[in-house]
C-alpha cells in the first residue's frame, strides 16, 4: 500500500485560519469593552444597554479589521490596487473601513432592538452581557476580514447598496419629524442632530466608496480593451463620468441644505443629469460589451426619464419618491454594469503578465497565481 502523500496546508486553509484568529482577537476586545462598560444588569436595547455597548464595540472592531486587511493584504494580492497615489489609497482605506464599521454598528443595534422586542422585559447581568458583546465583536471582526479578503467590484457594489439602505433607514427612524417624507429626501440631512449626521455620513462614504468601485470597473475595462482592441479613450471617458457620479454623491452630503439650499439643489440636479448622460453615452463608447447590458442601459435611461416626468411633468411623485426612484435605478444599473464588465474581462491576463498569469481578481477570494502553498491570507 503506497504511503500517503505528505500533508500540505493550502493557502485557503491558512487564510481561513487567519480570519478565525482575527475573529478571536475581536472577541477578546469585546470582552474587555464589555467588562469595562457594563457595570450591572442592563437591558438588551436602549441607552446604556448591552446592545449599545455591543454596537460601539462592533464598529471599532469592524473598522480596525478593515484597515488591517486593506493595508496588509489587498496590496499584495491586487498590485494594481496598491499602485495608485498614496492619498488615493488612503481614501479607499478610510472609506471602506468606515463603511464596514458603521454597517456593523447599525445592524448590531437593530438586531439587539429586535431581541428586546422578542424578549420583553429581559435584562442580563454584567457577565452575560459581556459574553454577547464579545460574541458580536468577534463575529464582526471575522466577517470584515472574510469580506475584504474576497473584495471584488461586484461584492463592493452590493455592500454599498446595503450600506446606503441601512444608513438611510437608520436616519429616517431617528428623524425628529416622522413626516419628513412628505417634503423631500434631503430633509434627513438638515440640522445637527443624530439623524442628519447619519444621513450625511452615509452619503459621503457611499460617494467615496463609489470611487473605489470605479477603480474596479476601470481595471477590468482596461484589460477588456487590450484584449478586444477597443479604444482606451472610451474607457477613460467612462471612468471620468462614473468618477463624477461618485464625487457628486459625496458633494450632496458635504453641501447639505443646512449649508446652502441653492448649491445643494444644484449638486443634486447635476447628479441626475450626469448619470443620465452616462446612460446615453456608455452604449456608444462600449458597443462591444454584452447586448444585455446595452439593452438594460437603454431601459434604465427610459425609467429615469419616466421618473422625471412623473415628478416634474404630471406631479404624480413627490420629491422624496423621485429621489428614491432615481437612487434605485442608479444602483441596480451599477450592479449590472459591474457584473457585465467583470464577465467580459474574466480570464484575461493582467497588464504585463504572460498567458499563464492569474486572471481577473473578480472571482472569489483573491488568491495569487503562485504555488499552492503561497499565503493569500491576511497574516504573513
Amino acid at each position: 500500500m503506497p504511503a500517503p502523500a505528505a500533508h500540505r496546508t493550502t493557502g485557503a486553509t491558512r487564510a481561513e485560519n487567519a480570519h478565525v484568529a482575527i475573529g478571536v482577537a475581536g472577541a477578546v476586545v469585546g470582552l474587555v469593552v464589555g467588562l469595562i462598560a457594563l457595570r450591572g444588569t442592563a437591558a438588551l436595547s436602549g441607552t446604556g444597554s448591552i446592545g449599545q455597548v455591543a454596537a460601539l464595540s462592533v464598529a471599532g472592531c469592524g473598522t480596525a479589521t478593515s484597515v488591517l486587511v486593506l493595508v496588509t493584504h489587498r496590496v499584495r494580492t491586487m498590485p494594481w490596487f496598491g499602485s495608485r497615489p498614496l492619498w488615493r489609497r488612503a481614501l479607499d482605506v478610510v472609506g471602506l473601513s468606515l463603511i464596514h464599521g458603521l454597517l456593523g454598528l447599525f445592524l448590531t443595534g437593530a438586531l439587539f432592538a429586535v431581541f428586546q422586542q422578542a424578549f420583553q422585559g429581559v435584562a442580563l447581568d454584567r457577565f452575560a452581557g459581556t459574553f454577547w458583546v464579545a460574541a458580536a465583536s468577534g463575529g464582526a471582526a471575522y466577517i470584515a476580514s472574510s469580506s475584504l479578503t474576497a473584495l471584488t467590484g461586484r461584492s463592493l457594489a452590493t455592500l454599498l447598496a446595503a450600506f446606503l439602505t441601512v444608513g438611510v433607514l437608520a436616519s429616517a427612524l431617528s428623524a425628529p419629524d416622522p413626516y419628513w417624507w412628505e417634503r423631500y429626501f434631503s430633509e434627513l440631512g438638515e440640522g445637527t442632530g443624530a439623524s442628519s449626521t447619519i444621513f450625511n455620513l452615509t452619503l459621503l462614504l457611499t460617494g467615496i466608496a463609489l470611487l473605489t468601485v470605479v477603480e474596479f470597473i476601470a481595471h477590468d475595462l482596461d484589460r477588456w480593451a487590450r484584449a478586444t482592441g477597443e479604444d482606451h479613450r472610451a474607457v477613460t471617458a467612462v471612468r471620468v463620468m462614473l468618477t463624477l457620479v461618485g464625487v457628486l454623491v459625496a458633494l450632496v452630503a458635504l453641501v447639505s441644505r443646512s449649508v446652502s439650499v441653492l448649491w445643494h439643489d444644484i449638486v443634486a440636479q447635476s447628479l441626475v443629469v450626469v448619470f443620465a448622460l452616462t446612460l446615453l453615452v456608455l452604449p456608444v463608447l462600449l458597443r462591444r460589451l454584452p447586448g444585455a447590458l446595452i439593452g438594460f442601459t437603454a431601459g434604465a435611461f427610459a425609467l429615469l426619464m419616466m421618473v422625471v416626468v412623473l415628478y416634474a411633468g404630471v406631479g404624480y411623485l413627490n420629491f422624496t419618491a423621485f429621489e428614491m426612484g432615481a437612487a434605485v435605478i442608479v444602483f441596480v444599473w451599477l450592479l449590472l454594469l459591474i457584473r457585465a464588465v467583470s464577465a467580459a474581462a474574466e480570464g484575461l491576463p493582467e497588464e504585463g503578465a504572460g498567458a499563464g498569469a492569474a486572471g481577473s481578481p473578480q472571482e472569489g477570494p483573491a488568491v495569487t497565481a503562485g504555488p499552492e502553498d503561497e499565503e493569500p491570507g491576511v497574516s504573513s
Side-chain angles (χ1 to χ4, degrees):
M1 183 175 181
H7 175 71
R8 297 180 65 191
T9 303
T10 65
T13 301
R14 281 197 293 273
E16 183 60 27
N17 290 341
H19 300 327
V20 172
I22 289 176
V24 171
V28 172
V29 171
L31 184 67
V32 174
V33 170
L35 289 175
I36 294 175
L38 298 174
R39 293 297 183 179
T41 301
L44 296 179
S45 181
T47 304
S49 66
I50 297 168
Q52 186 179 62
V53 174
L56 293 174
S57 181
V58 162
C61 288
T63 302
T65 299
S66 300
V67 171
L68 172 67
V69 175
L70 288 170
V71 170
T72 64
H73 175 70
R74 298 313 295 178
V75 173
R76 192 165 68 247
T77 58
M78 295 171 59
W80 66 268
F81 191 76
S83 63
R84 294 164 302 147
L86 179 60
W87 71 268
R88 187 69 182 83
R89 282 178 283 158
L91 193 64
D92 290 336
V93 170
V94 171
L96 293 178
S97 299
L98 287 177
I99 282 176
H100 279 79
L102 289 176
L103 185 59
L105 183 147
F106 295 150
L107 293 178
T108 301
L111 186 60
F112 273 88
V114 170
F115 280 138
Q116 184 70 80
Q117 291 297 316
F119 301 93
Q120 291 284 344
V122 71
L124 302 178
D125 62 26
R126 180 186 185 189
F127 299 104
T130 296
F131 168 81
W132 289 112
V133 173
S137 302
Y142 175 85
I143 292 171
S145 176
S146 302
S147 170
L148 286 167
T149 300
L151 183 68
T152 67
R154 284 177 285 186
S155 66
L156 179 54
T158 303
L159 175 69
L160 273 186
F163 174 70
L164 182 61
T165 301
V166 172
V168 169
L169 286 176
S171 175
L173 288 172
S174 58
D177 180 8
Y179 300 103
W180 61 268
W181 53 271
E182 293 181 348
R183 287 173 289 279
Y184 39 79
F185 206 64
S186 298
E187 182 175 324
L188 289 174
E190 293 184 2
T192 58
S195 176
S196 62
T197 300
I198 292 172
F199 181 80
N200 290 325
L201 186 58
T202 297
L203 285 185
L204 176 61
L205 293 178
T206 299
I208 292 173
L210 275 175
L211 301 181
T212 307
V213 172
V214 172
E215 292 300 314
F216 279 93
I217 295 174
H219 176 69
D220 280 347
L221 280 177
D222 282 336
R223 294 192 295 134
W224 169 78
R226 287 195 304 270
T228 60
E230 187 72 50
D231 191 343
H232 276 271
R233 288 176 297 182
V235 176
T236 301
V238 172
R239 183 177 197 165
V240 169
M241 288 186 291
L242 292 177
T243 298
L244 189 55
V245 170
V247 170
L248 288 172
V249 170
L251 285 177
V252 169
L254 291 175
V255 188
S256 66
R257 292 180 65 89
S258 297
V259 175
S260 171
V261 174
L262 173 63
W263 284 106
H264 176 85
D265 291 344
I266 289 175
V267 172
Q269 292 164 9
S270 299
L271 175 59
V272 175
V273 171
V274 169
F275 180 69
L277 289 176
T278 303
L279 293 178
L280 281 176
V281 172
L282 187 138
V284 178
L285 296 178
L286 304 175
R287 294 185 299 274
R288 299 182 185 179
L289 281 178
L293 174 64
I294 305 301
F296 187 82
T297 299
F301 179 80
L303 284 174
L304 187 62
M305 291 302 100
M306 183 181 71
V307 169
V308 171
V309 171
L310 290 175
Y311 162 65
V314 300
Y316 178 77
L317 299 177
N318 68 2
F319 196 53
T320 302
F322 164 71
E323 290 180 303
M324 292 182 67
V328 170
I329 294 171
V330 169
F331 274 96
V332 172
W333 176 81
L334 186 61
L335 284 171
L336 186 62
L337 173 66
I338 291 172
R339 296 189 68 84
V341 171
S342 176
E346 183 176 350
L348 298 178
E350 298 284 350
E351 185 175 5
S360 166
Q362 305 289 348
E363 294 302 313
V367 179
T368 57
E372 182 184 18
D373 57 345
E374 287 187 10
E375 173 59 63
V378 175
S379 60
S380 57

